[in-house]
Amino acid sequence: MKKNLNSKIALIVAVLVVFVYGIFGVPSGVTGSALKESLVKRIHLGLDLQGGAHLILQVVVKEAVNAETDNTVGRIQQDLKTANQSFSQAYKPDPENKPEVIRVEGTAPGKASDVRSTLEAKYSNEYDVSGGGADNSWTLTMKPTVVAALEKKTDQQAIESIRDRVDTLGVSEPVIAPYGLGANQILVELPGIDDLDRVKDIIKSTARLEIHAVVGGPYKDDQEALASVGGAVPPDEVLVHGSGTVGAGSDSDSVYVLHRISVVAGNDFRSADPGTDQNGRRNVRFSLTSAAGDKFYEYTSKNVGQSMAVVMGNRVKEVATIQSAIRDSGEITGSFTPEEVEVLSKMLRTGALPASLNEIETRTVGASLGQDSIKQGVTAAIVGVLVVMGFMLVYYKGSGINANLALFLNLVILLGFMGATGATLTLPGIAGVILTIGMGVDSNVLIFERIREEVRAGKAPSAAVDQGFAHAWVTIVDTHVTTIVSAAILFLFGTGPVKGFAVTLTFGLAANLFTAVYVSRVIFDAHLNKMKPGDLVSI
């Protein structure tokens, strides 16, 4: 009895049309060059094929912990003053080795319970509070769970900041993700980028522009600066080098004593743009967030006539006298090079890194090497397909045409998926395509060999085809599911190129289940409908 295959054929044609659109989109024409241009736009090439920059960066999370405890020191000072609790100093005894530890000294004798209540009410969720003995001192230690959460948050913020900065470079399909082979490491792959130094300057620059209150300076060297503070820098102050004078040039160097805790910094900046002032000097015009603007206004209104320092990259760029209260906008004019002004404004717009980055590995992949990889990979794929198709035609005769049609549709579906989803094709991805071809042929071999066995057993062509597909189905699903699970593990724990291999292999296998079982069966049924009684299947 002949089968009605109209609905099945319509489904196959619809799938073919959808994925052909995925490959080419809407081309500007039907010429070879127009189709090639559409194909290149839809199928993105990875770093190893297109060339570009590859970096593995280490996030210095200790700096984020230091910044958090610096803020806490300022809050503790304010809270104790608000509660009318006297103290001599609040500081971090060892910010380099133990940034999570804060010390409060010189609280009033007999007020231990009041001080403990103030500290625990505000900070017990994040810090372990101890002390209050005969020396009237207290120690706040950030809890390990809080430190771990802060480090994780710092890694994520660093990834987001790097992604924002990479977007300003106009890179297509960048890879910016945690690097699973090391703690607090980030993998950055930028296809099409060959100026590695410029990329590193933009990505790694903390560009943490800060405004600090000036305690003293400028001094000619560290010795003179130390002498001004009695030979030892107080815990809440810091020595910072820099010119501090507009137009002084990068060669001049002075030393300033600044308050350690900044007035505004980092993410307090809402926008920034490069420009020049009325005298033609390079500057950066900035605006602050609402909260930071209120804080800056409170500080400047109380310190008119005092000095404040603009610090970038741990160097004083400018020291200015506060003439009047400033709220949420201003200009920074200093001894900037054109590149510094551009980078600074870009970094402030995209957000400061929460911590600096150390290079673990940096390298570039040349475009010529990528072209060689594409040429050799495509050649391997074409040769592989032709050899397989030839083998199927010789060994399985007419049924080999069936297998080759299904194999062609499999490749169309795979490439259409990559074009429609914007997936990146890597060199391992090409290997995944080639492996998919092999898996597709393997499925057809299982089916055809089973049909041959049924034909040898004397069954009619239609019964032999039915039994061949029915018995081979379980084996095909088992092999495909096992391979897909392996590919999923590669995707979860692999890096960029390995993930590309996993993606192409997974979807290629899914497409193969459709083509080898459904499409191939429809082709067989269409052939059986045309066979006359007594004809044999060509297999």
Side-chain angles (χ1 to χ4, degrees):
M1 185 178 71
K2 294 184 178 182
K3 296 182 179 180
N4 187 347
L5 304 176
N6 292 337
S7 60
K8 293 182 178 181
I9 294 174
L11 175 61
I12 294 172
V13 172
V15 169
L16 182 62
V17 170
V18 168
F19 285 102
V20 167
Y21 173 79
I23 298 174
F24 298 105
V26 181
S28 57
V30 293
T31 62
S33 59
L35 293 175
K36 182 180 178 181
E37 181 182 355
S38 298
L39 176 64
V40 170
K41 288 181 179 179
R42 304 282 289 184
I43 306 294
H44 302 289
L45 300 181
L47 178 70
D48 51 357
L49 298 180
Q50 186 178 350
H54 168 96
L55 303 92
I56 298 176
L57 305 172
Q58 178 87 50
V59 184
V60 186
V61 293
K62 183 172 66 175
E63 293 181 1
V65 177
N66 251 321
E68 180 65 25
T69 49
D70 280 344
N71 291 334
T72 302
V73 168
R75 289 161 49 204
I76 289 173
Q77 293 171 343
Q78 185 62 41
D79 290 338
L80 290 176
K81 290 178 182 178
T82 301
N84 295 319
Q85 301 293 336
S86 62
F87 65 98
S88 60
Q89 61 178 343
Y91 67 103
K92 296 189 298 186
D94 189 2
E96 181 64 29
N97 300 311
K98 294 183 178 180
E100 72 279 5
V101 177
I102 299 172
R103 183 87 168 168
V104 180
E105 294 181 348
T107 58
K111 296 287 186 177
S113 60
D114 294 337
V115 175
R116 179 180 291 276
S117 297
T118 300
L119 294 177
E120 289 185 343
K122 295 283 187 177
Y123 306 102
S124 60
N125 290 334
E126 300 176 350
Y127 293 84
D128 293 319
V129 181
S130 61
D135 60 352
N136 299 313
S137 64
W138 302 82
T139 300
L140 288 80
T141 304
M142 186 178 288
K143 296 179 179 179
T145 54
V146 177
V147 173
L150 180 58
E151 291 181 352
K152 183 178 180 181
K153 179 182 177 182
T154 301
D155 288 341
Q156 188 59 41
Q157 287 179 337
I159 290 174
E160 292 173 357
S161 294
I162 292 173
R163 182 173 289 111
D164 289 339
R165 295 178 180 192
V166 167
D167 288 343
T168 66
L169 297 172
V171 180
S172 175
E173 299 297 322
V175 175
I176 305 164
Y179 188 61
L181 301 182
N184 310 121
Q185 293 182 6
I186 300 173
L187 171 68
V188 180
E189 292 185 341
L190 308 176
I193 296 295
D194 54 7
D195 190 347
L196 188 58
D197 290 336
R198 176 171 175 262
V199 168
K200 289 193 291 186
D201 287 342
I202 292 177
I203 289 179
K204 290 180 57 183
S205 174
T206 56
R208 189 174 176 82
L209 188 145
E210 302 174 332
I211 298 178
H212 293 255
V214 177
V215 177
Y219 303 106
K220 64 180 181 180
D221 53 31
D222 289 350
Q223 288 73 22
E224 184 178 346
L226 286 172
S228 71
V229 291
V233 181
D236 59 346
E237 297 174 3
V238 63
L239 300 184
V240 181
H241 288 244
S243 63
T245 304
V246 175
S250 58
D251 293 334
S252 67
D253 188 72
S254 302
V255 184
Y256 293 84
V257 181
L258 308 180
H259 277 294
R260 178 180 294 274
I261 301 174
S262 60
V263 181
V264 292
N267 293 330
D268 290 336
F269 292 89
R270 182 174 56 195
S271 65
D273 296 289
T276 55
D277 64 10
Q278 62 272 22
N279 297 316
R281 296 173 299 186
R282 287 181 288 271
N283 67 3
V284 176
R285 303 184 186 94
F286 69 87
S287 61
L288 301 172
T289 62
S290 297
D294 292 341
K295 183 171 65 172
F296 197 43
Y297 178 80
E298 180 182 2
Y299 167 77
T300 54
S301 61
K302 293 180 180 179
N303 291 275
V304 173
Q306 301 298 315
S307 296
M308 63 180 182
V310 177
V311 179
M312 185 185 77
N314 203 32
R315 283 190 62 82
V316 174
K317 286 293 182 180
E318 180 184 2
V319 174
T321 301
I322 302 173
Q323 303 293 339
S324 60
I326 306 171
R327 184 172 292 278
D328 60 356
S329 63
E331 296 181 359
I332 303 168
T333 303
S335 53
F336 298 116
T337 66
E339 292 77 14
E340 285 179 327
V341 169
E342 185 65 34
V343 170
L344 174 59
S345 60
K346 186 178 294 183
M347 295 308 99
L348 293 178
R349 287 196 303 270
T350 58
L353 283 171
S356 61
L357 304 170
N358 291 334
E359 296 178 22
I360 303 297
E361 177 185 341
T362 58
R363 55 185 169 88
T364 56
V365 178
S368 60
L369 177 61
Q371 290 298 324
D372 290 341
S373 299
I374 295 173
K375 181 179 179 180
Q376 294 175 6
V378 171
T379 300
I382 292 175
V383 171
V385 169
L386 293 178
V387 170
V388 167
M389 286 183 169
F391 170 81
M392 297 300 288
L393 288 173
V394 171
Y395 193 73
Y396 289 108
K397 304 175 184 177
S399 296
I401 300 175
N402 183 334
N404 291 340
L405 289 174
L407 182 60
F408 172 76
L409 182 56
N410 190 3
L411 291 175
V412 170
I413 292 175
L414 177 55
L415 294 177
F417 161 78
M418 298 189 68
T421 60
T424 301
L425 181 63
T426 62
L427 186 59
I430 294 178
V433 173
I434 297 173
L435 181 56
T436 298
I437 295 172
M439 293 289 289
V441 172
D442 179 65
S443 300
N444 282 286
V445 168
L446 288 173
I447 296 170
F448 293 173
E449 287 299 322
R450 185 66 190 190
I451 293 174
R452 276 184 170 180
E453 291 179 6
E454 299 298 334
V455 170
R456 292 193 190 105
K459 292 186 178 179
S462 59
V465 171
D466 287 340
Q467 291 299 311
F469 276 93
H471 287 91
W473 165 250
V474 175
T475 304
I476 293 173
V477 170
D478 179 65
T479 56
H480 281 60
V481 169
T482 302
T483 309
I484 288 174
V485 170
S486 301
I489 294 173
L490 290 176
F491 182 82
L492 290 174
F493 298 103
T495 56
V498 176
K499 288 185 176 182
F501 171 79
V503 169
T504 55
L505 179 59
T506 299
F507 199 83
L509 291 172
N512 184 53
L513 284 175
F514 174 73
T515 57
V517 178
Y518 187 85
V519 175
S520 184
R521 179 60 188 270
V522 170
I523 295 174
F524 264 116
D525 288 340
H527 178 64
L528 290 172
N529 284 346
K530 295 180 180 180
M531 288 177 59
K532 298 178 181 180
D535 289 346
L536 299 177
V537 177
S538 178
I539 191 169

